[in-house]
Amino acid sequence: MYDVIVLGLGGMGSAAAQHLAERGARVLGLEKFGPAHGHGSSHGGSRIIRQSYFEGPAYVPLLLRAYELFERLERDSGRTVMTLCGGLMLGPPGSRTVAGSLRSARTWDLPHETLDAREIRRRFPTLTPAAGDIGLYEARAGLVRPEETVTAQLRLAARAGADLRFREPAVRWEALSGGRGVRVHTAQGSYTAGRLVICPGAWAPRLLAGLGVPFTVERQVTYWFEPVGGTGPYTPDRHPVYIWEDAAGVQMYGFPAIDGPGRGVKVAFFRGGAVCTPETIDRTVHEDEVRAMAARTARLSPTAPGTFLRAVTCMYTNTPDQHFVIARHPGHAGAVTVACGFSGHGFKFAPVVGEILADLALTGTTGHPIAPFAPERLTVPSASAASSASSGPSDPSDPSAVSVPPSPGGA
């Protein structure tokens, strides 16, 4: 009998297992694949981390805590997981990328600079924005390494006593009657615990079908190119992370050369991938995709797409409003907690999501502002009477949402 079972040991699940075990809970972690695997959404070498969050000011308090926890993770694990090299949010002044970032920065009084195209070109010669573009520059932006983060969290969880089992996928789970906890069935056996935390990633549509949230899984591709003339001008001390939105609203993002000569720079489109499932995703990256990425990159950074090196696929698990689901399961609020639907921008929150999940599983509530992430805002009318009766929380893009205290379970 365990205190808590954690299903899924990717970015969020490994963080939950760590925080739960470090608080003294008897934890069983179950993972379909091996540790820090490349089959889901927590791989690819790097993720942008930033505080001036264009997705909405409600995320900023969680980001500030995530930064603290990433720093603690580095100290406790001895691994390098975060590099703060500065970041640019680029595009037309009215674009979501720029205007949304400025809104968060001003709402929370975050240190930032607003740069016109000429100043961007002067300070960052690798970038050539259009004359009318502007950028928000944030010195505290940078990148985190997903595989290193997951590995560090798993090792700290195991060090604290968590029982972590890999290549043992869950077949089904159930909440036991009479408040007797939960049971999880795998091909190897069945396990019981007082509480269950589900971090399913792209497997959310199957493992959380009863939640009533219409998740959509989207194929994404990230690319590495060797710049013309080499990576020298693209090192982290000279070239920032960036997100660029063009006049048509298409976003792409890029990183400095973080792995030395010959490893290139990483770029990708943000959204726009084909709908898929974990079983049907096309893992082949096609020549026309590489050409399209190179052409788009060259518009902003002409020397970056010199020679194509490699590409990998991953998956976004999107909610209809592209905001998270973090809550106790409304159908099993006493026993089951869920974290899912991170919609392509969740990994930078992994440590604080783990902290929240430990709060909810062990105490039923959390001090973090997660009311906007309740699933009831998204449930389809046929899901359940309990879910459909709720009008849902305020929009996370509303800065006032951060002041809404979460009720028990975060709903």
Side-chain angles (χ1 to χ4, degrees), residues 358-379:
D359 290 344
L360 296 178
L362 297 179
T363 71
T365 189
T366 181
H368 290 292
I370 63 165
F373 309 126
E376 289 89 341
R377 77 186 194 277
L378 299 170
T379 49

Side-chain angles (χ1 to χ4, degrees), residues 2-304:
Y2 295 91
D3 296 319
V4 186
I5 298 173
V6 179
L7 286 189
L9 294 174
M12 308 306 174
S14 62
Q18 175 200 341
H19 283 276
L20 287 161
E22 289 179 343
R23 297 187 195 185
R26 294 168 296 175
V27 177
L28 171 65
L30 296 172
E31 168 58 51
K32 179 181 178 70
F33 301 103
H37 63 82
H39 301 285
S41 305
S42 298
H43 61 282
S46 57
R47 294 289 188 278
I48 291 176
I49 188 167
R50 51 197 164 89
Q51 296 179 359
S52 300
Y53 214 59
F54 69 76
E55 289 86 348
Y59 287 95
V60 174
L62 298 180
L63 284 163
L64 297 177
R65 179 58 175 163
Y67 271 67
E68 295 174 349
L69 292 174
F70 272 118
E71 291 169 354
R72 180 190 299 177
L73 182 65
E74 289 190 318
R75 291 194 302 269
D76 292 348
S77 69
R79 305 180 78 91
T80 300
V81 300
M82 182 168 67
T83 300
L84 300 183
C85 57
L88 270 170
M89 306 300 114
L90 297 158
S95 64
R96 183 188 183 201
T97 302
V98 174
S101 298
L102 284 168
R103 182 184 182 197
S104 285
R106 291 165 178 168
T107 299
W108 291 98
D109 195 24
L110 300 172
H112 68 283
E113 300 175 69
T114 303
L115 310 178
D116 62 19
R118 179 180 296 179
E119 181 64 9
I120 292 168
R121 288 169 178 253
R122 186 188 71 80
R123 289 174 57 171
F124 307 106
T126 50
L127 302 175
T128 59
D133 283 354
I134 65 171
L136 178 146
Y137 178 73
E138 179 184 313
R140 288 279 290 168
L143 61 98
V144 291
R145 293 181 176 268
E147 290 93 342
E148 288 293 313
T149 298
V150 172
T151 298
Q153 290 173 164
L154 290 173
R155 290 185 178 179
L156 291 179
R159 183 189 302 176
D163 180 2
L164 306 179
R165 305 192 182 188
F166 299 96
R167 298 176 182 85
E168 187 170 349
V171 176
R172 63 186 178 90
W173 62 270
E174 58 190 318
L176 303 177
S177 61
R180 294 181 295 117
V182 298
R183 180 174 292 125
V184 176
H185 303 272
T186 74
Q188 284 85 341
S190 298
Y191 308 95
T192 58
R195 299 288 185 270
L196 175 63
V197 172
I198 305 178
C199 302
W203 288 262
R206 180 176 68 83
L207 285 174
L208 292 174
L211 191 62
V213 175
F215 299 107
T216 301
V217 179
E218 180 182 350
R219 174 184 178 267
Q220 291 294 314
V221 184
T222 55
Y223 307 78
W224 285 260
F225 292 91
E226 181 72 11
V228 176
T231 55
Y234 288 86
T235 54
D237 59 328
R238 303 175 69 182
H239 178 82
V241 298
Y242 64 85
I243 300 175
W244 171 50
E245 181 175 339
D246 68 11
V250 176
Q251 292 172 303
M252 67 159 287
Y253 59 92
F255 294 83
I258 59 174
D259 293 317
R263 301 297 294 171
V265 294
K266 175 183 168 183
V267 293
F269 288 108
F270 187 48
R271 307 196 188 284
V275 174
C276 65
T277 70
E279 293 74 31
T280 63
I281 181 173
D282 181 1
R283 295 289 186 181
T284 300
V285 178
H286 304 277
E287 290 184 4
D288 61 330
E289 294 179 298
V290 175
R291 287 194 297 269
M293 188 76 257
R296 181 56 60 98
T297 303
R299 288 172 53 188
L300 178 67
S301 187
T303 62

Side-chain angles (χ1 to χ4, degrees), residues 38 132 140 194 294 336 338 356:
R140 288 279 290 168
V336 182
V338 300
I356 291 166

